[in-house]
Amino acid sequence: MKDSPNELAGAPNGFQIAKAPTGIRGVDEILFGGMPRGRTTLVAGGPGTGKTVFGLESLYRAALAGEPGIFVTFEEQAEAIRRNARVMGWDFAPLERDGKLLFIDAEVPTDLVQSGEFDIGGLLAILAGQIKALGARRLVIDAVDALLRIFRESHRREEQLLTLHDWLRQKGQTALLTMKNGGEVPRARLNFEYMADCVVLLDQRIIGQVATRRLRVLKYRGSGFLSNEYPYIITSGGIVLLPISSVELSQQPFGPKFSTGISGLDPLLSGGFSRGSCILIGGASGTGKTTLACSIATAACSGGERVLYVSFEDSREGLVSMMRSPGLDLGQQLEARRLQVLTAIPEAKGVEEHLWRILQAIDAHKPQHLVLDSISACHRMGSEEAAFDFLVRLLMHCKARGLTCLFVNQTGPAQPIHEISGIGISSLVDTLVVLEQDWPDESHRRRLLIVKVRGSPHSHIYHNFQITGQGIQVDDAAPAPSVRQEQRL
């Protein structure tokens, strides 16, 4: 997924409008620094998209940074908002005591509205007093559509909306207003989209029976922005818009080679795999892909390095048990905390939740190497497009940090080498190793072929290998498979 910068990346003579960071992970990158300072931003979306969380988190992060703010709510009571925020680990009490944060329950008496005696002027006067007393620089008005809904005539709604817009402009507040999509006041929302300086749309949709939230910046006066749709999730710590692919590639150059720890394989690779590269091991069921990946992971751990092994196929206990047969002691590496095994059922979560969980594990474990077994299971996250998006973003994240990625992929018996990834990422792979097997003369034989190694000489012929009680052993060159054997494979 490539980002599409809006054509206005800046202004003439290098002038840039002042920005107010939201503090929300990933959002400020899309907004090229944050919301317009001293101006109005509209966040609109349907139910469950996180509009309130968006406004609340931006205010909370600003208050932590010393910038006072006020949160005005027309639907939820302030105490309910405080309770919900504690689930995310946000404690507002110290900020409220220190005068950095203020909640206002702005419930409007319906009898005044029905008698025609109400407009928002009185509410704005109260709010102006609170802004002055607190020295507030940020203002969030949550569910402004709930305020407008009490005015039955459309012209009254538009009058009040214009009054609010003019008042916000005069006060010079960095204001964020949330509003629902659709409902009883669609025209009011459309009008405010024209008035607001920045408009952010939140959406939630079901793709392949998996719910996905996406964010899009509709407009931003005086600033460039990234205009694609971007997936995001609501976590226990707030909103996370997961790493985006920059218009510029930022991967680190390959590092020195490291040993595979497999007898006979290193010479075929001119000394081993390159650090920071992406390695794909492909092959049909039973060819030894997981054993090869675990052998490489064990060798790295034995050398004092850390490995994160992400398994979509086997449980941690199952993997440890299976690897005892070829003489690999994963349990020892787990106890030494050099190896961490992260397991998941692909169907259990959407792409964003899987990706965020892995990135959190990378931050916590700080591995030098990542193993993903297997990428063919990623299809079960929803679709081939979702699997491709997941793998590309994970790979770009790892490459930018210099991590070695080792992807395992189970292929069909007749899958061509140039389609060995099955998900279309072959062009992003630096090293491709294909494992094959056949049964000539009623015996089971395995062989490997190193298809490519970027930036390094390597063997170009098939080699037999065996899985023994002491690990994998690569033998001398093997004859290339016959046409009949290739058809059978």
Side-chain angles (χ1 to χ4, degrees), residues 266-336:
D266 284 354
L268 308 184
L269 296 162
S270 297
F273 293 122
S274 295
R275 296 181 185 276
S277 64
C278 177
I279 304 150
L280 177 62
I281 300 173
S285 178
T287 52
K289 303 179 300 298
T290 297
T291 303
L292 180 56
C294 286
S295 298
I296 297 168
T298 301
C301 290
S302 298
E305 299 187 325
R306 291 182 298 277
V307 176
L308 176 62
Y309 196 111
V310 181
S311 176
F312 289 138
E313 303 285 356
D314 301 293
S315 68
R316 172 175 157 168
E317 293 75 16
L319 193 64
V320 171
S321 177
M322 284 190 303
M323 290 302 108
R324 290 195 186 105
S325 176
L328 300 175
D329 189 355
L330 298 185
Q332 179 184 357
Q333 305 302 338
L334 287 166
E335 290 177 6

Side-chain angles (χ1 to χ4, degrees), residues 115-190:
S115 65
E117 299 177 7
F118 176 80
D119 63 26
I120 65 172
L123 175 63
L124 295 181
I126 295 172
L127 191 53
Q130 296 290 358
I131 289 173
K132 183 177 180 180
L134 194 70
R137 299 169 59 192
R138 301 262 190 143
L139 175 65
V140 173
I141 302 179
D142 190 35
V144 69
D145 50 293
L147 170 64
L148 298 175
R149 194 161 48 240
I150 64 178
F151 300 100
R152 295 183 178 179
E153 298 85 4
S154 60
H155 73 276
R156 287 274 287 154
R157 291 175 187 157
E158 293 178 20
E159 285 175 1
Q160 302 305 307
L161 192 62
L162 185 59
T163 298
L164 175 61
H165 176 260
D166 290 342
W167 181 86
L168 289 171
R169 184 171 55 186
Q170 292 168 9
K171 292 299 178 184
Q173 287 285 301
T174 301
L176 188 154
L177 278 62
T178 73
M179 188 177 288
K180 297 183 186 68
N181 282 331
E184 300 175 16
V185 287
R187 183 176 175 181
R189 199 209 93 179
L190 183 61

Side-chain angles (χ1 to χ4, degrees), residues 8 11 15-20 34-43 58 67 137-141 164-177 192 194-199 219-224:
L8 181 60
F15 174 78
Q16 295 285 338
I17 66 170
K19 299 290 184 79
M35 303 179 295
R37 186 172 290 281
R39 303 188 190 185
T40 302
T41 297
L42 173 67
V43 176
S58 68
E67 195 171 352
R137 299 169 59 192
R138 301 262 190 143
L139 175 65
V140 173
I141 302 179
L164 175 61
H165 176 260
D166 290 342
W167 181 86
L168 289 171
R169 184 171 55 186
Q170 292 168 9
K171 292 299 178 184
Q173 287 285 301
T174 301
L176 188 154
L177 278 62
F192 205 81
Y194 285 107
M195 297 179 192
D197 296 287
C198 178
V199 178
K219 62 178 276 192
Y220 198 152
R221 289 193 183 114
S223 173

